[in-house]
Structures are given as C-alpha cells and as structure tokens.
Amino acid sequence: MNVACGIIIKESRILICQRNSEKSLPLKWEFPGGKQEINETLEDCLLREIREELCIELDIVEKLPSHFHKYSFAEITLHPFVCYIKSGRIILNDHLAYKWCNKNEILQYDLADADIPIILNFLDK
C-alpha cells in the first residue's frame, strides 16, 4: 500500500497530528496524509488527503526518500513530501489533535513506527 505524507513546515516548525482512538495505531502521532488511490499520483494523493483531513491547501516543495514498513495489520510504503501551507486554516476532520513541533522536540512524541525513519532522514538533511 502506498501512503503519501506531508512534512508540513511553518516558521521552522513541523506539523504532527494525533490519530484518533478508533483507527489503527490509536493515539499515535504522525505526519498527515493517506492512501494512494488508483490512477492518482502521490502528489495528488497528498493534496487530496490533506484537504479532506485538515481543510488546507499545500505547496509541495520536495519529495524525500520513501520508506517501507511492515505493521502487523499492513505493509506500507510511506512517501514523504516537504510542504508549506498555501491557504486555509487547520480544521481537524480525522485526527484528535495537532501540534507544531521544533525539530529538537518531535522525537519526544509517540510517533507511528513508519514515521520515525522519515523524520530521522529529514533531520539529517
């Protein structure tokens, strides 16, 4: 399963969102995004998912290396993109909470396992 996610940056902070308790990986923090649909580019997937989940429009500026992760319930390839908010105000339609984190505090949150290598790679840049 291909999943696009956004490393959304605002004033040198990174957005993370907390999954709700009814979904897989309940209450874990993650980079927002979602599953790629048939005949959809990864970029279009990310823009659609962010629009649906957070009610914002993004400018995608960079694709980062993908990461394969095997959960007990699914195997995913996570495709991260560095982004900035183009328009809108965050309204949570799917997540429990969101937080703007400094780079040095993001690993203090209980991140989804697949997101950890993504942020480590981003921080090494």
Side-chain angles (χ1 to χ4, degrees):
M1 175 186 330
N2 286 308
V3 176
C5 70
I7 298 178
I8 302 171
I9 300 171
K10 177 181 164 185
E11 299 170 1
S12 300
R13 293 178 181 235
I14 300 168
L15 179 70
I16 57 173
C17 295
Q18 189 176 34
R19 295 177 64 84
N20 70 47
S21 59
E22 288 92 44
K23 295 216 171 194
S24 57
L25 306 174
L27 305 179
K28 291 276 190 176
W29 291 86
E30 67 179 357
F31 300 114
K35 299 175 206 157
Q36 183 182 29
E37 294 180 354
I38 297 171
N39 298 323
E40 184 177 50
T41 67
L42 289 166
E43 291 85 352
D44 287 343
C45 169
L46 179 62
L47 296 174
R48 174 185 54 76
E49 288 281 351
I50 296 301
R51 193 176 307 116
E52 291 172 2
E53 293 180 0
L54 302 176
C55 299
I56 57 175
E57 298 293 330
L58 296 178
D59 275 327
I60 297 173
V61 296
E62 182 181 5
K63 166 102 172 65
L64 298 178
S66 301
H67 174 72
F68 174 80
H69 189 81
K70 186 175 184 176
Y71 286 108
S72 61
F73 55 87
E75 294 181 1
I76 68 168
T77 301
L78 194 55
H79 302 274
F81 294 87
V82 177
C83 312
Y84 295 91
I85 296 176
K86 179 170 40 174
S87 64
R89 179 178 63 85
I90 294 175
I91 298 170
L92 297 176
N93 289 322
D94 194 49
H95 292 90
L96 185 63
Y98 71 92
K99 170 95 173 131
W100 290 102
C101 297
N102 291 318
K103 290 180 181 181
N104 60 353
E105 68 180 346
I106 199 163
L107 290 170
Q108 296 171 14
Y109 288 84
D110 186 18
L111 295 172
D113 290 344
D115 289 56
I116 294 170
I118 299 296
I119 192 59
L120 291 174
N121 180 57
F122 177 76
L123 294 175
D124 279 348
K125 289 180 60 173

